[in-house]
């Protein structure tokens, strides 16, 4: 079974009216303002999944600044899960603006059956103390419901791209230490944090910590799959494509050439996600 742990969909009105939404949301404009940045509805997503033989996907929205737009977009993701049970696993994507209303909406969404929180992303600029506090509150809600939290992380080095912000690995590590019972998934290989799991003091706090592979073909040499498996073992990496950014098939070509054992490959592509989502 292949499960894509990191994808995004948008309601048809957002796909059709990109400029109008971009004019209202600076962060959305930065990541999706360019007409070349692909957006899909759930139907488009399911088509690509069928072509690439992906059985199920964790589906996220976007961290809209406007809580009204965030509510509309999250309702669309929940509806997608209800329309396509077993294939779509809806995650509640919290608004960047935070506040009480977002926390209430997150709890309400999980109550209604959404399977996790994420992709939580603070694309605004560097993450501030108040952002970490807000994220901590979201983590508390996710833990209460026993669901994972997927957090956008990017590398502190390398080239600049839309959505890349200043992130300190130290802060992310702190957050993992402060939330030992949370099933936390760090997107995009955790910005490289997994390397530091070679340190005993970091490894100690990583019991429920996972990493996803989202955007890997744009960022890393394919040898990362083998190196990550060597450092982390086979159980804590989740295949995530960030579709529609990159097609799953492109990952499969890299993974097939990465020299993983059939067992490790199966865990990466679906088994770890299946356990984490309690399917
Ligand atoms: Zn991301």
């Amino acid at each position: 079974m292949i499960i894509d742990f990191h994808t995004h969909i948008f309601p048809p009105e957002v796909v059709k009216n990109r400029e109008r939404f971009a004019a209202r949301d600076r962060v959305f404009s930065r990541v999706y303002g360019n007409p070349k940045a692909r957006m899909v509805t759930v139907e488009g997503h399911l088509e690509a999944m069928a072509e690439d033989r992906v059985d199920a996907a964790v589906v996220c929205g976007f961290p809209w600044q406007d809580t009204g737009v965030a509510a509309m977009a999250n309702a669309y993701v929940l509806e997608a899960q209800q329309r396509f049970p077993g294939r779509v696993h809806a995650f509640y994507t919290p608004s960047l603006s935070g506040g009480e209303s977002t926390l209430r909406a997150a709890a309400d969404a999980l109550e209604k059956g959404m399977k996790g929180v994420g992709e939580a992303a603070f694309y605004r600029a560097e993450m501030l103390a108040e952002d970490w506090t807000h994220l901590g509150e979201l983590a508390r809600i996710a833990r209460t419901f026993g669901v994972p939290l997927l957090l956008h992380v990017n590398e502190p080095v390398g080239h600049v791209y839309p959505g890349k912000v200043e992130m300190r690995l130290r802060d992310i590590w702190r957050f993992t230490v402060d939330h030992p019972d949370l099933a936390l998934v760090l997107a995009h290989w955790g910005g490289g944090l997994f390397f530091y799991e070679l340190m005993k003091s970091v490894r100690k706090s990583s019991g429920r910590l996972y990493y996803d592979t989202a955007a890997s073909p744009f960022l890393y040499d394919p040898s990362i799959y083998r190196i990550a498996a060597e450092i982390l073992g086979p159980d804590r990496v989740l295949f995530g494509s960030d579709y529609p950014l990159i097609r799953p098939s492109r990952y499969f070509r890299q993974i097939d050439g990465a020299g993983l054992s059939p067992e490790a490959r199966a865990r990466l592509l679906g088994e770890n996600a299946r356990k984490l989502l309690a399917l």
Side-chain angles (χ1 to χ4, degrees):
M1 185 181 201
I2 297 184
I3 302 175
D4 186 339
F5 205 88
H6 186 144
T7 69
H8 299 273
I9 61 171
F10 288 93
E13 53 266 52
V14 176
V15 177
K16 268 182 250 149
N17 303 294
R18 181 197 298 263
E19 304 81 36
R20 188 152 60 75
F21 284 90
R24 286 170 59 187
D25 192 309
R26 246 184 325 132
V27 176
F28 176 75
S29 167
R30 211 175 324 135
V31 184
Y32 287 101
N34 184 338
K36 282 189 192 144
R38 283 170 32 90
M39 291 192 287
V40 287
T41 61
V42 67
E43 284 83 4
H45 189 353
L46 287 167
E47 247 173 66
M49 282 168 64
E51 280 173 26
D52 288 1
R53 301 183 187 211
V54 172
D55 299 293
V58 164
V59 174
C60 309
F62 183 81
W64 296 98
Q65 287 183 287
D66 182 301
T67 48
V69 179
M72 180 267 285
N74 277 300
Y76 177 72
V77 177
L78 174 59
E79 190 195 296
Q81 173 178 281
Q82 291 160 344
R83 284 167 64 202
F84 305 103
R87 281 196 282 166
V88 170
H89 299 293
F91 270 33
Y92 181 83
T93 308
S95 171
L96 277 170
S97 318
E100 270 306 310
S101 69
T102 294
L103 300 177
R104 266 199 310 276
D108 186 49
L110 297 176
E111 192 73 60
K112 285 181 177 144
M114 283 178 112
K115 306 279 183 68
V117 176
E119 183 187 18
F122 297 83
Y123 295 128
R124 198 168 28 200
E126 91 181 90
M127 277 183 81
L128 306 172
E130 71 220 48
D131 295 327
W132 285 110
T133 304
H134 180 50
L135 194 64
E137 284 161 351
L138 287 164
R140 186 175 45 76
I141 292 168
R143 214 179 46 213
T144 304
F145 282 85
V147 297
L149 172 70
L150 169 62
L151 174 65
H152 170 86
V153 178
N154 55 236
E155 324 69 47
V157 297
H159 67 294
V160 176
Y161 49 82
K164 183 163 178 173
V165 294
E166 204 56 60
M167 293 192 96
R168 282 185 291 264
L169 294 185
R170 184 183 59 213
D171 294 346
I172 297 156
W173 174 66
R174 259 278 126 225
F175 187 76
T176 70
V177 173
D178 290 346
H179 299 86
D181 307 326
L182 173 71
L184 177 64
V185 181
L186 300 178
H188 316 291
W189 295 110
L193 182 69
F194 75 86
F195 167 77
Y196 292 97
E197 291 218 16
L198 291 166
M199 288 176 72
K200 283 183 196 148
S201 57
V202 173
R203 185 63 157 237
K204 216 168 55 189
S205 60
S206 67
R208 302 214 64 202
L209 185 58
Y210 297 81
Y211 300 84
D212 84 24
T213 66
S216 196
F218 283 170
L219 302 172
Y220 290 94
D221 186 88
S223 58
I224 192 166
Y225 291 98
R226 183 179 44 75
I227 293 165
E230 237 173 82
I231 295 175
L232 298 167
D235 297 328
R236 293 198 289 127
V237 181
L238 306 163
F239 157 64
S241 68
D242 219 348
Y243 185 79
L245 183 70
I246 308 177
R247 287 289 291 246
S249 51
R250 192 160 160 194
Y251 292 79
F252 300 156
R253 285 195 293 276
Q254 292 201 334
I255 291 167
D256 287 345
L260 298 178
S261 71
E263 174 66 22
R265 182 183 177 277
R267 291 193 198 186
L268 163 71
L269 288 178
E271 197 50 26
N272 295 340
R274 191 186 62 72
K275 280 194 195 145
L276 187 53
L277 294 168
L279 301 177

